[in-house]
Amino acid sequence: MAKWGEGDPRWIVEERADATNVNNWHWTERDATNWSSEKLKELLMGLQVESEEGKCEITEVSKVEGEASINNRKGKLIFFYEWNLKATWTGTSASGIKYKGNIEVPNLSDENDIDELDISVSLCKDEPETGLLSLMRGEGASKVRTALADYVGLLKTELTQGMILPTANGMTKNQQAAQVLTKASKTQIGSCNSAPHPSSTGVKIPTCKFSLKDTFLTSPEDLYRVFLNQEMVQAFTRSGAVVEAEKGGKFRLLDGNVNGEFQELVPEEKIVMKWRFNSWPCEHYATVTLTFTDKGNETELMIECRAVPESEEERTRDGWQRYYCHAIKQTFGYGARLC
């Protein structure tokens, strides 16, 4: 991979930022390499696909080589990223036979559209033929492509704060946009008592509902607290979080990938919240209800999700199982079988 140097416009941006841009007015640059490396691993690890052939999961991200940066050139943000990725997947056939293979993505860059990515899926040497390979080359590669698209989207939203130049009224374009979204959010919260609806864009979003049930080896009191105590949320998500544990309080977790508002809190019994992935259509929220039932030495948790975009059902279901249920059990030792 080429190093930045003389003649490369990205090098010129970095060089001129100090010489002629005392107030960051013309060109500024932000290094996004370390953030990108961690984010790519986070998005790829644990991805699962399943069919009648069996089940496969990405169990290791062994290679994340590359670089990423964001440049502000006279008020226009320009994104540079170039990555070579390699991961390991493991599979278990319907008959219980174990398999292992590799996934390679050599060309994730700003020069290639996500749909043009070369995602190579193979079996490890000496592994016998299996229908799981077709599953990974089809649905598995599709999930990898979606995860990489999420990375690009997050790169263009999470790391750009403060990089847009001030406008005539002293506010940045990002701040103006945030102010508009905040006003829209307050209006929606103040006027809607039922399940949230997407912004009025003239396009109706098809939605669905689903439920999950899981059992935790702890009391309803302790499990209820896990969802509302900011330090405990940060512990099981392994990232920074903001949790305002009151009716109408906001929450933001998983590096901003998930956010929302608490609508109803019944201690040890129920939590109702407006909840969304950051990549969902602007201002569209699902309604998520958590019901805690005391089962003696354990607690049954019922998770009901309504108004989830149809195209996001599987991702949302997987997200609750992986980033909430599994992570809480692993972090606090509340492990029990999934019902």
Side-chain angles (χ1 to χ4, degrees):
M1 185 175 298
K3 298 293 185 181
W4 292 3
E6 279 192 33
D8 188 307
R10 289 174 283 185
W11 181 85
I12 296 173
V13 169
E14 186 175 27
E15 179 76 4
R16 293 185 181 178
D18 291 330
T20 62
N21 187 26
V22 176
N23 296 313
N24 289 330
W25 183 256
H26 297 296
W27 292 339
T28 56
E29 179 178 21
R30 180 168 293 171
D31 185 0
T33 300
N34 291 336
W35 176 91
S36 294
S37 179
E38 292 303 313
K39 183 60 64 177
L40 286 164
K41 292 177 183 177
E42 175 189 319
L43 291 170
L44 292 172
M45 272 293 294
L47 284 183
Q48 297 180 356
V49 290
E50 189 171 2
S51 73
E52 60 184 14
E53 292 286 345
K55 184 176 181 180
C56 300
E57 178 179 359
I58 294 180
T59 53
E60 182 185 5
V61 181
S62 56
K63 182 179 182 181
V64 182
E65 292 183 352
E67 58 190 355
S69 67
I70 308 170
N71 290 268
N72 173 14
R73 299 187 183 183
K74 298 183 179 180
K76 181 180 179 181
L77 291 179
I78 302 174
F79 301 86
F80 296 98
Y81 54 92
E82 187 175 4
W83 294 100
N84 185 349
L85 311 172
K86 186 174 182 179
T88 300
W89 63 270
T90 58
T92 305
S93 69
S95 60
I97 301 175
K98 304 287 186 180
Y99 295 89
K100 190 174 183 179
N102 297 310
I103 300 173
E104 294 188 62
V105 184
N107 62 338
L108 176 61
S109 77
D110 54 276
E111 297 181 352
N112 298 316
D113 291 336
I114 291 296
D115 292 338
E116 298 174 349
L117 287 180
D118 178 16
I119 301 176
S120 174
V121 181
S122 61
L123 279 168
C124 288
K125 187 178 180 180
D126 298 329
E127 290 281 354
E129 288 298 318
T130 172
L132 293 178
L133 181 58
S134 295
L135 175 63
M136 283 301 296
R137 284 177 171 171
E139 187 179 350
S142 178
K143 280 203 170 185
V144 170
R145 196 179 303 275
T146 297
L148 298 180
D150 288 344
Y151 156 71
V152 174
L154 292 169
L155 175 68
K156 295 182 178 180
T157 55
E158 286 197 3
L159 293 190
T160 56
Q161 186 174 358
M163 293 194 70
I164 300 296
L165 300 178
T167 59
N169 62 6
M171 296 176 65
T172 68
K173 293 178 182 178
N174 277 0
Q175 288 171 330
Q176 289 176 326
Q179 188 179 70
V180 171
L181 290 178
T182 300
K183 289 181 178 178
S185 176
K186 289 181 178 179
T187 301
Q188 182 185 41
I189 294 170
S191 62
C192 298
N193 295 318
S194 58
H197 298 283
S199 300
S200 179
T201 60
V203 178
K204 184 177 180 180
I205 301 174
T207 62
C208 65
K209 61 181 179 180
F210 65 84
S211 62
L212 299 168
K213 187 189 295 183
D214 206 346
T215 304
F216 297 78
L217 296 176
T218 187
S219 66
E221 178 184 7
D222 287 344
L223 187 58
Y224 177 87
R225 184 168 61 248
V226 166
F227 289 92
L228 297 177
N229 182 286
Q230 182 166 302
E231 291 184 358
M232 297 180 81
V233 172
Q234 290 179 153
F236 77 75
T237 60
R238 293 174 172 78
S239 61
V242 175
V243 181
E244 300 172 353
E246 60 185 11
K247 184 176 180 179
K250 304 292 194 300
F251 59 85
R252 183 178 184 274
L253 52 148
L254 292 169
D255 295 322
N257 288 325
V258 168
N259 61 82
E261 175 184 314
F262 295 112
Q263 294 188 306
E264 182 181 355
L265 298 175
V266 182
E268 303 177 29
E269 295 181 12
K270 183 167 67 173
I271 296 173
V272 182
M273 64 186 93
K274 288 174 53 177
W275 187 99
R276 75 188 301 271
F277 274 124
N278 192 45
S279 58
W280 285 5
C282 185
E283 292 305 303
H284 181 84
Y285 289 83
T287 297
V288 176
T289 301
L290 308 180
T291 305
F292 305 83
T293 303
D294 192 345
K295 295 291 185 178
N297 294 326
E298 57 189 25
T299 298
E300 181 183 273
L301 175 64
M302 176 66 77
I303 305 167
E304 298 176 310
C305 300
R306 294 185 288 118
V308 175
E310 281 187 357
S311 61
E312 293 285 308
E313 178 181 359
E314 184 176 0
R315 179 186 176 215
T316 305
R317 185 189 297 270
D318 289 347
W320 271 94
Q321 290 176 329
R322 176 183 176 189
Y323 294 112
Y324 283 91
C325 296
H326 178 73
I328 288 171
K329 290 180 181 182
Q330 189 176 53
T331 302
F332 303 110
Y334 298 160
R337 68 180 180 85
L338 187 65
C339 297

